[in-house]
Amino acid sequence: EKTDKQYITLQDSVIEGAVRMRPSILPGLLDAVRLNLNHQRRDIKLLEVGKVFAALSGEGNLPNERELFSLVVTGGEIQQGRVMAVREYDFYDAKGAVEAALDAVGLNTVEFTAADVKHFRKGQSASISVAEQNLGTIGRLIHAIASNYKFKQAVYVSDIDLQSVLEV
């Protein structure tokens, strides 16, 4: 159950209606997926790097601020010169994208361990770690969230804490 205590609320927001600092990048990415699907683009790979804020107080009673790398994969693989997807994306396509991103910053011993994550389907989710340092999660969105966004195809998402990546 969510309460207002989990969010950072702004007293004088510059944007009308934007009174909370985002605790996750995921809703913005899922909105972008929905926008693309509404424009008949079903084969999508998106990523975002951005700051998120947790209400747990950090130093000097300030909110905890983290920088995340998040990605989303949905639809199918299209080959050049083809109209139809040759196959649907799956968990392993998202996993490969995460491995490529981490390899690009010199982390090539990434481990994926089956884990239950509340917003991912059971059996299709994992924690991501390097040298026993937890970096984030990956998985397929649960039906409740997918249907809320009116997604009719599988959507795979990963969140990686960049501060943890730098500490490895």
Side-chain angles (χ1 to χ4, degrees), residues 60-133:
N61 231 9
L62 295 172
N64 282 337
E65 177 182 328
R66 297 183 306 136
E67 189 139 17
L68 294 184
F69 165 78
S70 297
L71 66 85
V72 63
V73 175
T74 187
E77 182 180 347
I78 302 286
Q79 290 184 341
Q80 190 171 354
R82 304 278 180 171
V83 176
M84 300 295 290
V86 292
R87 67 177 183 81
E88 294 297 304
Y89 290 133
D90 60 20
F91 178 86
Y92 297 99
D93 292 295
K95 179 179 178 271
V98 168
E99 288 171 325
L102 292 175
D103 188 55
V105 295
L107 297 179
N108 50 21
T109 57
V110 181
E111 294 180 18
F112 295 82
T113 308
D116 287 337
V117 181
K118 65 180 176 183
H119 56 284
F120 295 147
R121 287 189 177 196
K122 288 196 185 305
Q124 294 191 41
S125 59
S127 64
I128 305 166
S129 61
V130 171
E132 297 185 21
Q133 168 87 22

Side-chain angles (χ1 to χ4, degrees), residues 16-88:
E16 187 176 339
V19 295
R20 290 183 174 160
M21 296 176 80
R22 68 181 180 177
S24 171
I25 290 176
L26 187 56
L29 269 177
L30 296 181
D31 284 341
V33 169
R34 181 171 49 198
L35 180 65
N36 276 276
L37 291 173
N38 287 344
H39 285 89
Q40 309 306 313
R41 291 183 216 106
R42 69 172 299 276
D43 308 308
I44 305 163
K45 290 181 180 176
L46 300 173
L47 67 89
E48 182 177 351
V49 174
K51 292 185 189 302
V52 295
F53 303 88
L56 302 170
S57 58
E59 289 182 31
N61 231 9
L62 295 172
N64 282 337
E65 177 182 328
R66 297 183 306 136
E67 189 139 17
L68 294 184
F69 165 78
S70 297
L71 66 85
V72 63
V73 175
T74 187
E77 182 180 347
I78 302 286
Q79 290 184 341
Q80 190 171 354
R82 304 278 180 171
V83 176
M84 300 295 290
V86 292
R87 67 177 183 81
E88 294 297 304

Side-chain angles (χ1 to χ4, degrees), residues 134-152:
N134 185 36
L135 303 181
T137 58
I138 185 171
R140 180 176 174 180
L141 281 182
I142 59 171
H143 178 73
I145 295 174
S147 64
N148 187 46
Y149 282 88
K150 297 184 169 82
F151 296 154
K152 294 179 178 152

Side-chain angles (χ1 to χ4, degrees), residues 150-165:
K150 297 184 169 82
F151 296 154
K152 294 179 178 152
Q153 60 194 51
V155 177
Y156 300 90
V157 177
S158 179
D159 273 325
I160 295 172
D161 186 323
L162 290 178
Q163 185 63 40
S164 296
V165 169

